[in-house]
Amino acid sequence: ECIGMKKSTEPAEGTSTDRVVLVRALPGLGDFLCAVPAWSALRRGLPKAQIDLVALPETRHLAQRFSQYCDDFIEFPGFPGIIERPARVTALPAFLSEMHERRYDLALQMHGDGSTSNIFSLLLGAKRTVGFYLPSGHCPDPESFLPYPDWLHEVQRNTALVRFLGIEVGDDASCTYEFSVTDSDEGEYARLAQRHGLQSGRYVCIHPGASRETRRWSPRSFAQVGSMLRAQGLQIVLTGTADEAEITAIVAQHLGQPVIDLSGQTSVGALAVLLGHARLLLCNDTGVSHLGAAMKTPSVIIFLTSDLVRWGPMDRSRRRPVGYGNGEPVSTEQVLAAAWSLLDGTGQFDIPPDLRTAYAPEVRTT
């Protein structure tokens, strides 16, 4: 059990949990994937329950990939104080009336520390609402709300709520990321591979974008590392959203040819397959790093200003963090050493001797 968290005495099965609603209206791919292990455990614990998800409309396509865990998708209408979507106050009465008609037995608030999302979740009218609260703030019900555990990884925070319900989750090793790919995704990747001559296991995906500028390593630095990896005979593939095309173009300019820039040219499903066939992923701390984890892709993830404890890789045998998210600069030598630590041992690469054993990350817990 998580330190400082008591287990609920509510039974995991029975009429009290026939209808469940999840609240997680966060926009990012990483935000979504970090909740999936908890939803998977919840489904195992409540195999016959109707489980609905209240989320942002832009994540509907992701929810459809996990229909085995979520039965219905309900568009979050916005709510005062929840910044992820402008509040449509006039739409709230009708929305809440509809939610009350669904007669939920349990609402599971999985949207942050609960400072505002608890109010929204309680208004859904479920018989019981479970979530986190800030110790310095109001606790709606000490039997159903936990102090917000800011020392835990995001995956662990979500699974802690499921454990609190008395449902078996397993250890950290079993709380793995996952992502469902379709035949359509495979077909899209196959066309890209044919068009650009991609060879499975012989290319590196470099993803230089991130939602916040402060989380982005410099394009020139990405290009420098990419150049050394290309010198080892690896193809360099740049990935990103259409909005990040300007960033990938700068990396491509510094790299020079040959380079394959796929920014804005892949769906999230095709990107997942692309990562699944990559020899290595090099990226900032952003959603694609969690997608890489789901696809079991060896990854080097750069942490400049984001929380390494909350968002860092849980499995560091195949995913290497570089930087501590405290604003300290990250050098190309650090990133190259992490990359070589994942490429070494195959006998395929001419790894510089001074970088063979240079990657030895400290584990900071504070």
Side-chain angles (χ1 to χ4, degrees):
E1 297 299 321
C2 296
I3 296 175
M5 293 185 180
K6 62 181 180 179
K7 183 186 290 187
S8 168
T9 56
E10 182 75 16
E13 296 187 30
T15 56
S16 61
T17 46
D18 284 346
R19 299 184 65 83
V20 180
V21 60
L22 311 173
V23 177
R24 191 168 174 86
L26 298 172
L29 173 62
D31 295 316
F32 195 97
L33 295 180
C34 282
V36 170
W39 297 343
S40 174
L42 185 66
R43 173 57 77 195
R44 291 194 302 272
L46 303 173
K48 297 181 181 179
Q50 169 78 22
I51 301 177
D52 300 339
L53 172 65
V54 175
L56 295 174
E58 56 263 39
T59 63
R60 182 186 294 270
H61 69 105
L62 294 173
Q64 291 172 344
R65 291 178 180 271
F66 296 96
S67 58
Q68 69 271 37
Y69 305 142
C70 300
D71 298 298
D72 195 9
F73 182 93
I74 301 170
E75 185 175 315
F76 174 64
F79 188 78
I82 297 180
I83 63 173
E84 281 74 19
R85 190 178 190 189
R88 295 182 295 157
V89 177
T90 56
L92 277 173
F95 173 84
L96 293 176
S97 176
E98 178 185 344
M99 296 301 288
H100 281 234
E101 290 176 1
R102 291 174 178 253
R103 300 183 182 277
Y104 287 111
D105 300 299
L106 173 68
L108 201 57
Q109 188 280 104
M110 307 181 82
H111 186 105
D113 60 30
S115 54
T116 302
S117 53
N118 282 344
I119 300 173
F120 172 78
S121 301
L122 287 163
L123 287 173
L124 300 180
K127 294 178 183 178
R128 185 188 185 200
T129 302
V130 171
F132 292 120
Y133 73 96
L134 284 174
S136 59
H138 171 65
C139 175
D141 180 356
E143 296 299 318
S144 295
F145 286 81
L146 303 170
Y148 186 63
D150 58 5
W151 65 90
L152 290 179
H153 191 280
E154 185 69 9
V155 170
Q156 295 169 321
R157 294 182 202 194
N158 293 313
T159 55
L161 287 177
V162 178
R163 280 195 177 96
F164 184 65
L165 296 173
I167 294 173
E168 180 65 32
V169 173
D171 57 19
D172 290 346
S174 65
C175 297
T176 56
Y177 293 89
E178 58 183 281
F179 189 84
S180 302
V181 298
T182 65
D183 291 341
S184 177
D185 300 330
E186 296 279 5
E188 184 180 345
Y189 167 76
R191 291 188 292 274
L192 283 172
Q194 184 176 26
R195 185 182 312 140
H196 296 285
L198 296 177
Q199 302 176 47
S200 181
R202 295 298 305 176
Y203 61 84
V204 174
C205 286
I206 296 180
H207 192 99
S211 58
R212 298 179 186 177
E213 186 175 356
T214 56
R215 293 184 180 182
R216 300 174 196 157
W217 203 39
S218 77
R220 181 183 292 274
S221 296
F222 272 113
Q224 288 174 341
V225 175
S227 178
M228 291 196 69
L229 294 173
R230 187 172 58 190
Q232 299 294 316
L234 292 163
Q235 296 172 290
I236 302 300
V237 179
L238 305 180
T239 64
T241 65
D243 292 337
E244 294 169 334
E246 183 177 346
I247 300 172
T248 59
I250 296 173
V251 177
Q253 181 181 5
H254 286 301
L255 261 171
Q257 293 301 321
V259 63
I260 301 166
D261 188 350
L262 296 181
S263 55
Q265 299 182 45
T266 60
S267 65
V268 67
L271 177 59
V273 182
L274 179 75
L275 294 177
H277 287 275
R279 182 66 185 81
L280 185 73
L281 166 65
L282 171 60
C283 63
N284 298 303
D285 171 41
T286 189
V288 75
S289 72
H290 302 283
L291 187 60
M295 301 307 295
K296 308 296 188 293
T297 308
S299 305
V300 176
I301 308 154
I302 300 166
F303 284 82
L304 296 177
T305 60
S306 50
D307 189 340
L308 176 59
V309 172
R310 181 177 183 180
W311 301 109
M314 299 179 71
D315 172 16
R316 300 198 177 182
S317 64
R318 295 173 61 83
R319 305 179 69 221
R320 304 282 201 250
V322 182
Y324 298 103
N326 57 4
E328 293 180 0
V330 170
S331 70
T332 55
E333 288 77 15
Q334 289 175 286
V335 174
L336 278 167
W340 294 140
S341 73
L342 292 168
L343 295 173
D344 202 3
T346 64
Q348 301 176 22
F349 305 101
D350 183 20
I351 300 173
D354 58 334
L355 291 178
R356 283 185 178 275
T357 58
Y359 180 78
E362 302 175 31
V363 178
R364 295 189 183 180
T365 57
T366 61

